[in-house]
Amino acid sequence: MHVLKLMGPAMIGAAVLLGGCATGPDVTMPGPEQIQQRKAEAVALMGKGGRLAERGDTEGAIEAYQQAVVLDRSLGAAWNNLGELMLREERYADAVGAFTAAADADPADPRPVYNAALAYQRIGWAADAYDQYTRALERDENFLPALRGAVRSGEMLSKADPVLAEQVRRAMLLETDATWRSYLERQRFRIEAGMDATLRDANG
């Protein structure tokens, strides 16, 4: 099993961007023209990262994305792409750090939160995965990948409550894949039976 060591935001930034090396504060404040230039360079580096990833140069792509977010931390797409590459390389702590930065950069986008949930799920942390899937659904209640993930994590946790029941119901309304619909139907029965058993126990 892979062990995911979580870090605070400052430590995450150092590990992802600088390989853990500490630097002193930048005392020079860039002007508007410099800021625009840095943003343009960051976008160019993000494009470079995408091209390198398509060619299979994962390390080169990671480096390009890291350089991009150093120049412009607000590039949520660059953070998310960086996280996906690190997830592929099983660098789970770095991946979660990148997805967290992506989620902060774009508070409306459910995808980086969903991706963080995937990282947790892949190392068997079902409770953390479920929490992240639910956070993604707070951003978009109809984001089907997060609904699927929530239901699967809920099954791993033997969870049976009204929140998960609603997530299954919503997923079934959106799902078009026959295999997934069959799975969701089985989960609906499991959750309802679990809720009924809890109610009987409560009533003695």
Short mmCIF file of all heavy atoms in Angstrom, two decimals, residues 25-35 38:
data_model
loop_
_atom_site.label_atom_id
_atom_site.label_comp_id
_atom_site.label_asym_id
_atom_site.label_seq_id
_atom_site.Cartn_x
_atom_site.Cartn_y
_atom_site.Cartn_z
N PRO A 25 12.15 35.45 0.69
CA PRO A 25 11.08 36.21 0.05
C PRO A 25 11.61 37.08 -1.08
O PRO A 25 12.75 37.57 -1.04
CB PRO A 25 10.53 37.07 1.20
CG PRO A 25 11.67 37.19 2.16
CD PRO A 25 12.44 35.91 2.07
N ASP A 26 10.78 37.26 -2.09
CA ASP A 26 11.12 38.13 -3.22
C ASP A 26 10.74 39.56 -2.84
O ASP A 26 9.57 39.87 -2.69
CB ASP A 26 10.35 37.66 -4.46
CG ASP A 26 10.73 38.47 -5.70
OD1 ASP A 26 11.60 39.36 -5.59
OD2 ASP A 26 10.16 38.22 -6.77
N VAL A 27 11.74 40.39 -2.66
CA VAL A 27 11.47 41.74 -2.18
C VAL A 27 11.08 42.69 -3.31
O VAL A 27 10.66 43.81 -3.08
CB VAL A 27 12.71 42.31 -1.44
CG1 VAL A 27 12.97 41.50 -0.19
CG2 VAL A 27 13.94 42.31 -2.34
N THR A 28 11.26 42.26 -4.57
CA THR A 28 10.90 43.11 -5.69
C THR A 28 9.48 42.82 -6.12
O THR A 28 9.11 41.67 -6.35
CB THR A 28 11.86 42.87 -6.88
OG1 THR A 28 11.76 41.50 -7.29
CG2 THR A 28 13.28 43.18 -6.48
N MET A 29 8.66 43.85 -6.21
CA MET A 29 7.27 43.70 -6.62
C MET A 29 7.16 43.97 -8.11
O MET A 29 7.53 45.06 -8.58
CB MET A 29 6.39 44.68 -5.85
CG MET A 29 6.34 44.43 -4.36
SD MET A 29 5.60 42.83 -3.97
CE MET A 29 3.91 43.17 -4.48
N PRO A 30 6.68 42.99 -8.91
CA PRO A 30 6.58 43.21 -10.35
C PRO A 30 5.50 44.24 -10.68
O PRO A 30 4.47 44.33 -10.01
CB PRO A 30 6.21 41.83 -10.88
CG PRO A 30 5.54 41.15 -9.73
CD PRO A 30 6.22 41.66 -8.50
N GLY A 31 5.75 45.02 -11.73
CA GLY A 31 4.76 45.98 -12.20
C GLY A 31 3.75 45.30 -13.10
O GLY A 31 3.86 44.11 -13.41
N PRO A 32 2.72 46.07 -13.57
CA PRO A 32 1.66 45.49 -14.41
C PRO A 32 2.19 44.81 -15.68
O PRO A 32 1.72 43.73 -16.04
CB PRO A 32 0.80 46.71 -14.75
CG PRO A 32 1.04 47.67 -13.64
CD PRO A 32 2.48 47.48 -13.25
N GLU A 33 3.18 45.43 -16.33
CA GLU A 33 3.71 44.84 -17.56
C GLU A 33 4.42 43.53 -17.26
O GLU A 33 4.29 42.55 -18.02
CB GLU A 33 4.66 45.81 -18.24
CG GLU A 33 3.97 47.03 -18.83
CD GLU A 33 4.95 47.92 -19.58
OE1 GLU A 33 6.13 47.55 -19.70
OE2 GLU A 33 4.51 48.98 -20.07
N GLN A 34 5.17 43.49 -16.16
CA GLN A 34 5.87 42.27 -15.79
C GLN A 34 4.88 41.15 -15.43
O GLN A 34 5.09 39.99 -15.77
CB GLN A 34 6.80 42.53 -14.60
CG GLN A 34 8.01 43.38 -14.94
CD GLN A 34 8.81 43.72 -13.70
OE1 GLN A 34 8.28 44.29 -12.74
NE2 GLN A 34 10.09 43.37 -13.70
N ILE A 35 3.80 41.55 -14.77
CA ILE A 35 2.79 40.56 -14.40
C ILE A 35 2.17 39.95 -15.65
O ILE A 35 2.01 38.72 -15.76
CB ILE A 35 1.70 41.20 -13.51
CG1 ILE A 35 2.28 41.55 -12.14
CG2 ILE A 35 0.51 40.26 -13.35
CD1 ILE A 35 1.34 42.32 -11.25
N ARG A 38 4.63 37.61 -17.28
CA ARG A 38 4.73 36.35 -16.55
C ARG A 38 3.51 35.47 -16.82
O ARG A 38 3.65 34.24 -16.97
CB ARG A 38 4.86 36.61 -15.05
CG ARG A 38 6.19 37.23 -14.66
CD ARG A 38 6.30 37.49 -13.17
NE ARG A 38 6.29 36.25 -12.39
CZ ARG A 38 6.61 36.20 -11.10
NH1 ARG A 38 6.94 37.32 -10.45
NH2 ARG A 38 6.59 35.08 -10.45
#
